[in-house]
Amino acid sequence: MQMNGYYQKWRIILFAVLTSLFAVLILLRFSKLAFTPKEQIIPKSPVIERGSILDRNGKQLAVQTNFYHIGVSPKNISDPEKFAEDISVAIGIEKSEILDIIREGLKKEKSNFVYIKKNMNISMYEDLKKITDAKKYYFVRYDKIPGRIYPESTLASQLIGYMGTDGKGLAGIEFSMDQILSPVPKEGEVKPEQGKNIYLTIDANLQYKLEKIAHDALTETQAENLMLLAASAKTGEIISYLSLPEANLNEYRSASIEEKIDRPAATFFEPGSVFKVFSIAAAYDAGLFRQDESFYCDGIFEKTMTSGEKVRITCLTPHHYQTARGALEVSCNDITAQITDRMDTEAFLAKLRAFGFGQKTGLEVPLETPGSLPDPQKRHWSARSKMTISIGQEVGVSALQILQAATALGNNGTPIKLTVISQIKDNEGNVIYKHEPVYKDRILKPDTAAYILSCMQTGAEKGIGWRANLGDITIGVKTGTAQMADTVNGGYSDTDFLSDCLAFFPAENPEIILYICLQKSKGVNFASRIVAPVIKDSANAIIDHLGMSRGGAASLEHSGRISITGKPAVKIGNTVPDFRGMSKRDILPLLERNDIQININGNGWVVEQNPPAGTAVQENMVIELTLE
C-alpha cells in the first residue's frame, strides 16, 4: 500500500523526536517532584489572648483590644485621586498625603504594597470599611492587630507600664509580668495557655484622689517631680503608687522621658532627716541610750578622730538639752550624730542593711535600683561618714526602700515584703495566686518600734511636723529636707532641695504607712512647710476612703426623695451615651454585651461615668459607672 503524501518520512521522524523530548521532559519533571522533600506546611501561630491588668477591686487598667492597619497595592488603583478623596475624611489624612503614599508605593521594585494608616480603632475601621465596601475598592486590605487600651490613661502609669506594637510589654507590670500576661506557646501545643489577669494591690479610686492632691501640691510648690507611696502596715500591700509627672499610656510613644521614669523604684537620693528615725532606732535597739537621757546641742557636732581627721556637723540653730525624742521632734543633727557616734560602725551599717538599704526590695517592677550604702573599706569613706549617714546624707535610698524599712517600725520590729500584686486569675476566673503577707526576720525589739512611733507622734503633735497632725486620729511623722547634689559643679546645690515626709497612722498601731517626696521646689523648700500639709491631706483622703473610724468622718447625705420616670432601653452605638441619671435597672441589659464591659460601682442612680459621653466606642472598651 502506498503512503499518503502527508505522512512523509521526515514528518514521522520529527513527530517521533518531539514525542521523545516531551516524554523526557515529563520524566525529568516527575523525578524532580519525586526526589524533592515534601513542603512543610507551617501551622498558623496559636492566638494568645493577653491578660488584663486590674486594680484590687477589679477595675480594669489595661485591656486587650484590636487595632487595624489599612493597606493597598497602588498598581491596582485605577483612580488614585478618587480613592484618596473618598477615604481622606474617614481616616483624618489629607488627600495629598494619601496620594504621596501611593506614589511612593509605585516606585518599589519588589513589592508595591503600602500602608495608608496604622493603629485605627474599631470605630474608624468600621466607618472606613463601609466606604471601601460600598465603592468596591477590593484592592484595600485590612490587617487586624492585637493592641491595648488603658481606660484610666495616666493613672499609676509607671506602675502599669506599656505594651508595644509587637505585643510585648515594654515597661512596668506589662514588662515584668509579660510571661504571665501573655505566655509563650509551647511547640506543638494544640490549646495554648492563655494570658492571666493580674490584680494589683492599688485601689484605683483612692489612687485618683491622691493624684489630685499630688497635682495640686506640684502646682503650688512648682516642684519638678513628686512621689507618693501608701502601703498597708500589716500586709505590705501598696495601695497607692504615684510618680509625677506621669505618662498617658494611650499616647505612650509621645510621652517625655521624665513622664516615663518610675521614680519610686528606679531613682535614689539622699533622704535627709527622715533617715534619723532608722538611725536612732538602731542605736536604741542596741541599748546605747535611755529614753530619759539628755544630750546637749550647741548647734555643732565636732570631733577629732585618732587619725587626726576632724568631723563637723551643724544644726540650723542650737537645740540645747534634748532627749532622743526631743531630737527627733526638732530634727537635731548634733544629737543624732552624738547618739550614732556611740554605735560601732559595722553594727550600724549591718542594721541599716537589715532595714533593706543598699539592696533592692524585690518588688514586682523592673529597673529597681539597689541604692547606695557606703562601705568603710572603699576610698569614699571618711571619719564623718557614719555620722553623716545617720542624718540622711552620703547614703542613696529609693522611695521603695524607705517604705520597706518603715514596715519594720509599723509591724512591731518585723519587716514585711512589699508587693503590688494582689492576686492572679486565669481567663475563666479561677484564682491561681493570692497574696499572703511575707514576714522577714525580726530586726527590732517590739518596744524599739513602739518607742520610735511614739517619738514620731510627738513630732506631729508638738514638733516641726505639726502641719501633718490629723487631730482625731493619731499620726506619727518625720520630715526631711536635703540639699541635692550639684551635678555640674560637684558638691551640693544651693538652690535644689529634696523635701520628704514619712508617716504612720494610727500612730499607736499603724494601719497605713505613707511616704511623700518632692524635688526641686521653688521658693520655700522646708519639708515641714510644704510636704507635711500634703501628708495631712493624703492621710485624710485615705482614712475617709477606707472608712477608718474617726470623728468628723465624711458622710454622704441623701434627701431620700427618689423620682422614677419611664425611659426607653439604653442603646450604645458608635459613641458612649450619657448615663447620668439612669438607674441600675436601666443599665443591667447592657451587661449581656460581649464587645464592651460595663463596671457598676454602687447602687441607685448614675452620678459619674468614665469615659465621658460622646467618646468613640472601641472593641473591648470598659465603661465605669458610679451609682449613688
Side-chain angles (χ1 to χ4, degrees):
M1 186 175 79
Q2 194 174 23
M3 291 181 66
N4 188 305
Y6 180 79
Y7 295 105
Q8 295 177 5
K9 185 176 182 181
W10 69 269
R11 290 179 183 275
I12 295 173
I13 294 172
L14 178 62
F15 177 75
V17 170
L18 291 175
T19 303
S20 299
L21 287 174
F22 182 68
V24 169
L25 286 173
I26 291 176
L27 287 172
L28 288 173
R29 179 64 177 165
F30 176 78
S31 300
K32 182 178 179 181
L33 290 173
F35 292 101
T36 299
K38 186 178 180 181
E39 183 179 355
Q40 297 295 317
I41 298 175
I42 301 174
K44 187 177 180 181
S45 299
V47 177
I48 303 293
E49 186 76 17
R50 189 176 182 87
S52 297
I53 299 175
L54 310 93
D55 83 336
R56 65 185 305 114
N57 300 313
K59 182 184 288 256
Q60 292 193 321
L61 305 176
V63 187
Q64 183 79 353
T65 188
N66 292 308
F67 293 102
Y68 298 85
H69 298 345
I70 173 177
V72 297
S73 296
K75 65 181 181 181
N76 295 329
I77 305 176
S78 58
D79 190 347
E81 289 271 350
K82 178 62 175 168
F83 171 68
E85 183 179 338
D86 287 339
I87 70 169
S88 174
V89 175
I91 63 176
I93 298 179
E94 293 292 333
K95 173 183 172 182
S96 59
E97 187 177 343
I98 297 173
L99 288 172
D100 287 342
I101 295 172
I102 293 172
R103 293 188 191 104
E104 285 298 317
L106 290 170
K107 294 178 184 178
K108 293 183 178 181
E109 295 181 3
K110 294 184 179 179
S111 171
N112 72 336
F113 179 83
V114 292
Y115 283 112
I116 302 293
K117 187 177 180 65
K118 293 184 176 182
N119 298 317
M120 298 184 299
N121 61 37
I122 189 170
S123 178
M124 182 179 289
Y125 158 73
E126 289 178 344
D127 290 344
L128 184 60
K129 196 167 189 310
K130 286 178 183 178
I131 295 172
T132 56
D133 286 352
K135 300 287 184 179
K136 294 182 170 52
Y137 289 145
Y138 300 124
F139 51 81
V140 171
R141 189 179 91 190
Y142 293 101
D143 293 340
K144 186 176 180 181
I145 307 297
R148 207 71 157 157
I149 289 178
Y150 299 94
E152 303 301 322
S153 299
T154 61
L155 195 83
S157 62
Q158 294 92 347
L159 174 61
I160 295 167
Y162 177 74
M163 187 195 80
T165 54
D166 62 351
K168 298 294 183 182
L170 299 180
I173 292 298
E174 291 275 34
F175 175 81
S176 62
M177 305 294 285
D178 193 57
Q179 293 301 311
I180 303 294
L181 290 164
S182 185
V184 176
K186 299 179 179 64
E187 187 175 352
E189 194 172 28
V190 177
K191 189 176 181 182
E193 180 184 3
Q194 295 299 304
K196 309 296 189 300
N197 297 319
I198 294 178
Y199 290 72
L200 302 179
T201 55
I202 67 168
D203 184 319
N205 291 328
L206 176 61
Q207 177 86 8
Y208 174 79
K209 294 175 182 178
L210 295 180
E211 285 193 3
K212 185 178 185 306
I213 292 171
H215 273 290
D216 290 343
L218 205 63
T219 300
E220 185 175 344
T221 63
Q222 298 180 59
E224 285 194 3
N225 57 73
L226 184 150
M227 294 174 274
L228 184 152
L229 298 172
S232 166
K234 306 306 180 188
T235 68
E237 294 184 354
I238 296 178
I239 60 174
S240 184
Y241 190 107
L242 189 155
S243 178
L244 301 180
E246 75 278 60
N248 183 338
L249 294 177
N250 292 309
E251 300 174 2
Y252 192 79
R253 285 185 290 272
S254 62
S256 68
I257 294 175
E258 290 294 310
E259 292 170 334
K260 294 177 181 179
I261 296 174
D262 179 5
R263 283 187 173 80
T267 65
F268 65 92
F269 48 87
E270 293 183 344
S273 294
V274 161
F275 206 74
K276 291 172 183 173
V277 297
F278 305 112
S279 302
I280 291 180
Y284 184 75
D285 204 62
L288 298 179
F289 68 89
R290 303 186 314 276
Q291 291 188 26
D292 61 354
E293 185 175 355
S294 291
F295 301 84
Y296 185 75
C297 166
D298 60 2
I300 302 174
F301 172 84
E302 291 183 298
K303 182 177 181 179
T304 301
M305 311 300 288
T306 55
S307 62
E309 287 185 86
K310 292 185 177 181
V311 179
R312 192 172 189 269
I313 295 174
T314 62
C315 285
L316 291 175
T317 182
H319 296 113
H320 307 297
Y321 283 102
Q322 298 285 348
T323 60
R325 179 186 296 274
L328 286 174
E329 181 183 326
V330 298
S331 199
C332 178
N333 292 342
D334 184 353
I335 294 175
T336 303
Q338 290 180 49
I339 291 173
T340 308
D341 189 37
R342 295 182 177 184
M343 195 166 187
D344 174 74
T345 298
E346 285 299 333
F348 177 61
L349 293 175
K351 186 65 76 174
L352 295 183
R353 284 191 288 271
F355 273 118
F357 297 113
Q359 57 196 289
K360 298 179 181 181
T361 67
L363 193 72
E364 306 93 341
V365 294
L367 303 177
E368 186 183 359
T369 177
S372 174
L373 186 62
D375 184 342
Q377 306 305 316
K378 299 298 174 65
R379 65 185 181 89
H380 293 296
W381 185 270
S382 69
R384 60 173 283 142
S385 291
K386 181 174 67 171
M387 279 69 77
T388 305
I389 290 170
S390 73
I391 62 172
Q393 295 178 355
E394 281 193 50
V395 59
V397 307
S398 69
L400 285 178
Q401 287 174 338
I402 291 285
L403 195 69
Q404 179 66 79
T407 63
L409 297 175
N411 192 50
N412 299 312
T414 301
I416 309 172
K417 182 175 172 52
L418 296 174
T419 185
V420 289
I421 306 297
S422 173
Q423 58 181 333
I424 300 174
K425 294 182 179 180
D426 63 20
N427 61 344
E428 295 180 351
N430 301 309
V431 177
I432 61 174
Y433 167 81
K434 188 173 182 62
H435 172 255
E436 294 292 338
V438 177
Y439 300 100
K440 301 185 178 184
D441 294 336
R442 178 180 295 281
I443 62 172
L444 297 174
K445 302 181 185 72
D447 65 325
T448 298
Y451 169 64
I452 297 298
L453 289 174
S454 70
C455 291
M456 294 176 71
Q457 182 179 346
T458 304
E461 293 173 348
K462 301 190 296 180
I464 61 175
W466 63 269
R467 290 180 178 84
N469 195 23
L470 301 175
D472 54 357
I473 283 186
T474 57
I475 186 170
V477 301
K478 183 69 193 80
T479 60
T481 305
Q483 285 178 283
M484 299 182 68
D486 186 336
T487 56
V488 177
N489 304 310
Y492 288 96
S493 170
D494 294 326
T495 57
D496 296 338
F497 289 83
L498 175 144
S499 306
D500 59 348
C501 187
L502 176 64
F504 298 83
F505 55 92
E508 65 278 0
N509 185 23
E511 292 184 35
I512 300 295
I513 304 169
L514 180 60
Y515 180 67
I516 297 177
C517 173
L518 60 84
Q519 299 181 17
K520 298 185 180 181
S521 61
K522 304 295 188 296
V524 177
N525 48 56
F526 290 112
S528 58
R529 296 187 184 181
I530 62 174
V531 180
V534 185
I535 283 282
K536 180 177 182 177
D537 291 342
S538 300
N540 277 323
I542 293 171
I543 290 165
D544 289 340
H545 183 82
L546 298 181
M548 296 170 64
S549 178
R550 65 180 304 171
S555 61
L556 177 67
E557 294 185 3
H558 194 284
S559 66
R561 299 180 63 186
I562 300 175
S563 175
I564 301 177
T565 57
K567 292 184 180 180
V570 183
K571 294 182 179 180
I572 299 180
N574 292 329
T575 60
V576 176
D578 189 347
F579 289 98
R580 290 173 299 175
M582 295 184 184
S583 70
K584 193 170 187 177
R585 178 174 301 197
D586 296 331
I587 302 163
L588 288 178
L590 297 177
L591 299 180
E592 298 178 1
R593 291 186 59 153
N594 296 321
D595 57 334
I596 60 173
Q597 179 173 327
I598 307 290
N599 288 344
I600 300 176
N601 302 310
N603 292 288
W605 281 258
V606 178
V607 295
E608 187 177 336
Q609 72 178 73
N610 185 34
T615 302
V617 173
Q618 299 182 1
E619 187 176 3
N620 295 328
M621 80 181 302
V622 180
I623 300 176
E624 294 281 348
L625 302 177
T626 301
L627 283 63
E628 291 181 1

